[in-house]
Amino acid sequence: MNDISKDQPSPANIADLPNLAAALDDDRFRQFLDHVPFAVAVAEFGDSEQIVYGNLEFERLTALPSEQLQGQPWSVLPVGTPLADGPELAAALLENEEYLGAFTIQTGEATLVVDAWSNTIVDESEEPLFRLLAMSSRERSDVTAALSESLAEKDVLLKELQHRVKNNLQMITALIRMEARNAQGKEESIQFGRLAGRIDALSILYRSLYSGQETETVDLGIYVSQIASSVMAAHAVEGIRLDLKIDTWPVSVNVAMPVGLVINELMTNALKHAFVGRDSGLIAVRCVVDDTGCKILVTDDGIGLAEASDWPRRGKLSAMIVESVKRNANAEITVESEPGKGMTVTISFKRSDAVDE
């Protein structure tokens, strides 16, 4: 099975693009990012980091029009004061990766509480190319109340946010699949299809959260089976069988989400690449739970990798997802593969690490 990173670039995996600034001049790419329901900005590395793009939501959130963002450093952003100890937003962005924290931003008469995430895109030599900043916000008229509200009130706000995210994910998935059908080339259609699959995996998770009584856990076995079935339905290949065996087990959303994304990546990759030139094949997915913990296994009997270390590659989306599983579930992940003998990825974690305290 080939590495996802060897595919052509897609809107969700832009590390392969030699010039992101040029890509952002493409109307299709801009239209996609402008429909994303959270703020996204991109800076290009050089002698200094300069912002080359901010989507419509980013302009709205920061009250900075596009012409004021272009070519500017991150310090052009409104002052973002952290809710907890730490540097302000622009400084935190340059110091950290992934989740930066919650910040208050004053734009005009409005006070916003925003959650911010960051990621650095690197090239094959692990040299930084671009930095991405994503932010989601909730307008608050009383910052003091935002800082002092009870844990129960915060949980209510989070559930409301998750509910909106669920609906947005469903809408985005539908838009991307529509775009994939209208894509001019085969590779372009495949790229959009991959992106839709990743978002669909998140949509399934949020449907699970709100399909019944409110809970802070997700049944991992059921979620895994839904992901596997969704991938097979979206990328069905005649002659390729799915062997699925699961144990049901409640885990935290923070564990279920990255596990589901890893399974989506591996199965999508296998269906696209592992069985080239063959009219049959097998993908097996296991979710086995015992007294000590859980073991997730995704395996195929396809063409395999040249080296097991070829997956995942640093700087790629799959590597980010794998790191999220390791961090959120304190998981051990092993990859076994060799040419002609398929590929097996095993994710193992303890019971104590699967549910939030």
Side-chain angles (χ1 to χ4, degrees), residues 266 294-298 332-336 344-348:
L266 291 169
C294 180
K295 180 175 292 185
I296 306 289
L297 182 144
V298 181
E332 294 183 5
I333 299 179
T334 61
V335 181
E336 301 174 53
T344 299
V345 175
T346 304
I347 306 170
S348 304

Side-chain angles (χ1 to χ4, degrees), residues 13 46 53 55 57 75 78 115 136 141 144 151 180 249 350-351:
N13 184 15
Y53 174 78
N55 69 351
E57 179 64 12
S75 57
D115 284 292
S136 62
S141 59
T144 301
L151 179 60
W249 186 37
K350 298 177 181 179
R351 281 181 173 270

Side-chain angles (χ1 to χ4, degrees), residues 178-215:
M178 184 181 299
E179 189 71 16
R181 288 195 296 269
N182 296 329
Q184 297 178 355
K186 178 180 178 182
E187 289 300 326
E188 187 179 17
S189 178
I190 290 174
Q191 294 156 18
F192 276 108
R194 284 188 180 278
L195 179 58
R198 291 162 182 156
I199 295 176
D200 197 40
L202 301 180
S203 183
I204 291 172
L205 177 63
Y206 282 99
R207 287 201 300 271
S208 299
L209 283 172
Y210 291 95
S211 60
Q213 62 182 11
E214 291 188 358
T215 176

